[in-house]
């Protein structure tokens, strides 16, 4: 359940992160700071607060819940679809910010040179910019994946702990501790630690090798 949730969160957020990251890196408009603050808000909100607002938004009487009900015939709260949507909101800054910083490091005259060479904005993005920002994309993928695996408060508020539906590894660890099964909790915690550390280690190792090669 945890790996499925993390994989789907990355699959949905990375394209959105590329779009928002490039837009925030290159656009200049009044209110840009507010947009960046809105993206970063899940970083500073307590997970239970964010989870509470999402729980209310996903309810059958709320606009989001009603829209989902009209499209699918089912509710969002205490379902896998609900925790997936909650995970997308909670992990948005982890997907956007590394990519935005990578796009900000691209010299603007490089884009202008590509346009003068006859490349369209889409061709410039695909052939020039994305190869340059792939370390940021890789970092965003790793941070999003690792954070989703360890997310607890938001998932518990929106999804509860339903076996086979919303019970992720972090919630299972909590349940094992509550049941005084310290050995089971320790094994699951060790698995989560190893996977998270390995994911981040591989990403930062690749990024370090790229910086060394360029230097």
């Amino acid at each position: 359940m945890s790996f499925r949730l993390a994989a789907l969160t990355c699959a949905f957020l990375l394209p959105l992160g590329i779009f928002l990251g490039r837009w925030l890196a290159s656009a200049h408009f009044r209110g840009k700071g507010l947009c960046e603050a809105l993206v970063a808000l899940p970083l500073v909100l307590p997970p239970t607060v964010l989870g509470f607002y999402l729980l209310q938004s996903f309810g059958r009487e709320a606009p989001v819940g009603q829209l989902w009900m009209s499209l699918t015939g089912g509710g969002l709260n205490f379902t896998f679809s609900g925790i997936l949507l909650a995970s997308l909101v909670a992990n948005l800054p982890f997907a956007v910010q590394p990519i935005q910083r990578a796009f900000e490091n691209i010299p603007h005259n490089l884009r202008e040179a590509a346009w003068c060479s006859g490349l369209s904005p889409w061709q410039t993005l695909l052939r020039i910019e994305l190869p340059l920002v792939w370390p940021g994309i890789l970092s965003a993928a790793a941070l999003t994946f690792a954070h989703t695996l360890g997310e607890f408060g938001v998932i518990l508020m929106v999804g509860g702990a339903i076996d086979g539906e919303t019970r992720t590894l972090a919630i299972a660890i909590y349940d094992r501790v509550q049941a005084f099964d310290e050995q089971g909790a320790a094994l699951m915690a060790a698995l989560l630690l190893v996977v998270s550390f390995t994911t981040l280690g591989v990403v930062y190792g690749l990024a370090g090798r790229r910086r060394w090669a360029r230097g």
Side-chain angles (χ1 to χ4, degrees):
M1 181 66 63
S2 296
F3 283 102
R4 179 187 174 201
L5 179 64
L8 288 174
T9 299
C10 286
F12 283 111
L13 276 186
L14 286 182
L16 180 61
I18 293 172
F19 171 78
L20 286 177
R22 187 178 187 274
W23 177 60
L24 290 173
S26 59
H28 299 281
F29 59 93
R30 183 176 297 178
K32 178 180 176 180
L34 292 178
C35 291
E36 292 179 317
L38 185 62
V39 170
L41 189 60
L43 290 175
V44 297
L45 273 182
T48 50
V49 173
L50 180 59
F52 170 77
Y53 283 119
L54 291 175
L55 183 69
Q56 297 298 311
S57 300
F58 293 169
R60 296 177 183 269
E61 303 300 322
V64 175
Q66 290 179 350
L67 176 61
W68 186 264
M69 177 74 70
S70 65
L71 293 174
T72 66
L76 275 173
N77 287 330
F78 308 109
T79 65
F80 181 82
S81 297
I83 64 172
L84 176 58
L85 288 179
S87 179
L88 297 180
V89 175
N91 287 284
L92 185 62
F94 296 97
V96 173
Q97 290 185 346
I99 298 175
Q100 179 184 350
R101 301 296 174 256
F103 274 113
E104 288 173 345
N105 288 329
I106 298 178
H108 185 69
N109 57 10
L110 186 62
R111 297 188 182 98
E112 293 177 344
W115 298 336
C116 291
S117 299
L119 295 180
S120 68
W122 275 108
Q123 289 174 322
T124 302
L125 173 64
L126 295 176
R127 297 172 59 180
I128 305 296
E129 296 181 55
L130 287 183
L132 292 174
V133 302
W134 78 263
I137 297 174
L138 194 58
S139 296
L143 291 172
T144 301
F145 188 87
H147 186 260
T148 303
L149 286 181
E151 180 57 53
F152 175 76
V154 173
I155 302 302
L156 184 63
M157 290 288 289
V158 173
I162 304 173
D163 284 333
E165 184 72 20
T166 63
R167 192 184 187 198
T168 61
L169 186 59
I171 295 175
I173 293 172
Y174 176 80
D175 288 342
R176 289 297 87 209
V177 172
Q178 291 293 101
F180 300 102
D181 182 6
E182 295 185 0
Q183 183 177 2
L187 288 174
M188 288 186 283
L191 173 63
L192 188 58
L193 174 63
V194 169
V195 171
S196 299
F197 181 78
T198 301
T199 302
L200 294 176
V202 169
V203 169
Y204 288 121
L206 290 174
R209 288 178 60 184
R210 179 178 174 85
R211 287 194 297 268
W212 179 84
R214 293 176 60 183

